[in-house]
Amino acid sequence: MAKRRLRTGPTAALPAKPDPGELLRIVQLADPEARRDGDDILAVDVRVCAPVAAEAALTGGELETAWAVRVAAEGPLPLDYFDRFLAEGLAFRLGGLAVCRGEVSDPADDGEGGPAVILPARPTAEELAPLLEQQEEEFVFAAGDIKAALVPQKGRPPAVQELLPFAAELTAIELRGADPVKLGALALELAEALNGIAVDRWRFRFDTAEDLVAQAEPAPE
């Protein structure tokens, strides 16, 4: 039964059984209104299933033993790939791997993405000038070795729902660079200056720059 259920949605494969309270806290970074439903957690129209013990086959032998947290969509997603983002974000924060459609990945190794700052409206050049340097392209900026792109935010991430009642046009400042701590520090600075919300590449909120550094893998129970 467990193996069949694990094939039906993106899954975070964790090296240790997560504490239920900590699991809920992390999910609430992606959806502040996430709540318990029995042993599971409900976040918007997504069910984060209670951890179950899994065999090494789940991760292709990458983890000898794992605790699998399956994420299953139960309705329209508020954001494309929100269920997959939840699984990958959980894996990143808990030192695990993500399994989606039979593919195993380590979110900590994915250097393509970066944090973003979600704003309720597109900022003006004057608002950005003290914070970012305009580049040759109209919507591309820089801060030292960090690149920033101003783009429309597709979908409505639950993490920023407090912006929605008065949002004219959700806009993201996507940040890219080699140092996650520098990226996080700039994202938090921009969020403070522009009344936005800093989120990581999976659209989880974060409060400190160090939250963007992958956690060490805990010892299995």
Side-chain angles (χ1 to χ4, degrees):
M1 174 65 73
K3 290 182 181 179
R4 184 162 60 252
R5 290 177 62 213
L6 289 172
R7 295 194 186 105
T8 63
T11 299
L14 309 175
K17 186 177 182 180
D19 174 77
E22 178 66 1
L23 191 63
L24 177 61
R25 183 193 71 81
I26 294 174
V27 175
Q28 286 175 335
L29 296 176
D31 175 14
E33 295 186 357
R35 65 191 189 281
R36 295 189 186 282
D37 183 44
D39 292 333
D40 299 341
I41 297 171
L42 294 182
V44 194
D45 283 323
V46 171
R47 180 175 295 274
V48 180
C49 298
V52 296
E55 299 177 356
L58 175 65
T59 61
E62 292 292 325
L63 294 176
E64 291 185 7
T65 59
W67 287 88
V69 178
R70 182 176 61 94
V71 181
E74 297 189 334
L77 298 178
L79 185 71
D80 287 345
Y81 310 114
F82 181 61
D83 53 347
R84 181 168 185 165
F85 287 170
L86 274 178
E88 292 181 350
L90 286 169
F92 179 80
R93 281 163 181 74
L94 294 169
L97 303 173
V99 184
C100 186
R101 296 183 179 178
E103 295 184 3
V104 180
S105 63
D106 184 350
D109 290 341
D110 183 3
E112 295 182 2
V117 179
I118 310 298
L119 306 173
R122 183 178 293 273
T124 65
E126 290 75 16
E127 290 174 317
L128 292 175
L131 305 162
L132 299 170
E133 180 182 349
Q134 176 75 59
Q135 302 297 286
E136 293 183 2
E137 298 179 53
E138 183 179 1
F139 299 115
V140 179
F141 302 82
D145 58 354
I146 296 176
K147 301 298 183 184
L150 197 63
V151 298
Q153 168 60 49
K154 296 180 179 179
R156 297 196 164 195
V160 302
Q161 59 185 292
E162 68 191 62
L163 298 178
L164 299 180
F166 52 89
E169 178 186 8
L170 280 183
T171 299
I173 303 177
E174 299 278 0
L175 303 179
R176 299 293 183 270
D179 187 333
V181 175
K182 287 176 64 176
L183 288 170
L186 179 59
L188 292 168
E189 180 184 352
L190 292 170
E192 176 70 21
L194 299 170
N195 297 315
I197 293 175
V199 295
D200 64 17
R201 65 178 179 266
W202 300 287
R203 295 315 192 245
F204 284 62
R205 295 179 70 148
F206 65 93
D207 298 315
T208 70
E210 288 71 24
D211 291 339
L212 299 185
V213 179
Q215 299 299 304
E217 189 175 294
E221 289 186 354

